[in-house]
Amino acid sequence: MENDMGFWTDRVVMITGASSGIGKGLALDLIARGARLGLLARRENLLEEIVNGARVRGGKAFAVAADVRDADAMRSAADRIRAQLGPIDILIANAGIGTSSHISQLDPIHTANVLSINVLGAANSLAAVVPQMVERGKGQLVAISSLAAYRGLAKSAAYCASKAAMSSYFESVRIDLRGTGVGVTIIHPGFIKTPLTAGRDAKMPYLMELDDAIPKIVSAIEKGKKSVAFPWQLATVVRAGMLMPTFMYDWIAARNSFRE
Ligand SMILES: NC(=O)c1ccc[n+]([C@@H]2O[C@H](COP(=O)([O-])OP(=O)(O)OC[C@H]3O[C@@H](n4cnc5c(N)ncnc54)[C@H](OP(=O)(O)O)[C@@H]3O)[C@@H](O)[C@H]2O)c1
């Protein structure tokens, strides 16, 4: 059986949204485990800092500046990563934005932006790697979704819709890919300390340190889990919410706004 280090050694991993937060945290962790990384985001200077840090430590990483909303740019980004590092073994579709959107300020442009980055961006990332993975008969697609995927939350219409769509999209893909050798892992984290949650006034129950969240994501990928949700306390609350009658859920959810 492969040990933890063995799993990642020389694996080519493409991470979208690698310039900050969870994506950066995963990049730093996986470099230390011996993976070869293709790092994608719009802020190239931040990616280059990670790449240079990797080189100093003897690791191999490659930065590509691209916007996940641009399907052609994503395909050519994946081509460049393959040319530099070899076939992509694992895609971590992590790029995303999280915003507050009370219905009274609902702006169609805002909603379109959240959906195009969080949903279409993930679909573009997936399309850039799936044909080659299927051809090779192996690969793993990882979605960084959210506990917000499970039910609607106050002031989060666009975000909840985007994460529900992302989880459903990857779940459907998992079913379609049965028997091809390509697996799908959907991660549903609760609140994690990153630039996305920084400065929020709203309560964020069971807010996790990034360093505590990263090993949970890494372990789920190693084990080839189909779906994981953490932290367990908030995941249990969310699962209980899924079983509640709608009137009860609405009453409780209206009293718990997780967004300012
Ligand atoms: N933090 C949490 O509590 C939490 C909880 C559950 C799920 N998540 C999910 O985890 C993912 C990462 O979030 P985070 O907390 O790490 O936030 P973050 O620190 O703000 O990172 C977001 C990343 O996405 C990239 N990105 C945003 N728009 C992009 C675009 N159009 N094209 C390419 N890259 C883009 C950003 O890079 P550039 O700006 O350089 O492009 C950045 O690297 C998101 O999908 C988020 O929904 C976060």
Side-chain angles (χ1 to χ4, degrees), residues 50-124:
I50 302 171
V51 167
N52 292 336
R55 281 196 194 120
V56 169
R57 294 159 67 191
K60 191 151 190 198
F62 177 65
V64 196
D67 189 318
V68 289
R69 289 170 288 190
D70 183 339
D72 290 338
M74 291 305 291
R75 267 194 296 271
S76 74
D79 285 343
R80 288 178 62 200
I81 292 168
R82 280 186 284 264
Q84 286 286 328
L85 304 175
I88 295 166
D89 296 300
I90 299 174
L91 164 73
I92 305 180
N94 163 76
I97 56 171
T99 53
S100 175
S101 54
H102 188 270
I103 188 69
S104 61
Q105 311 136 1
L106 210 57
D107 168 4
I109 294 173
H110 163 82
T111 301
N113 200 34
V114 175
L115 292 175
S116 68
I117 294 175
N118 292 5
V119 185
L120 302 180
N124 290 338

Side-chain angles (χ1 to χ4, degrees), residues 148-154 156-157 160-161 249-250 253:
Y150 289 104
R151 281 199 87 155
L153 298 168
S156 304
C160 288
Y249 179 77
D250 284 5

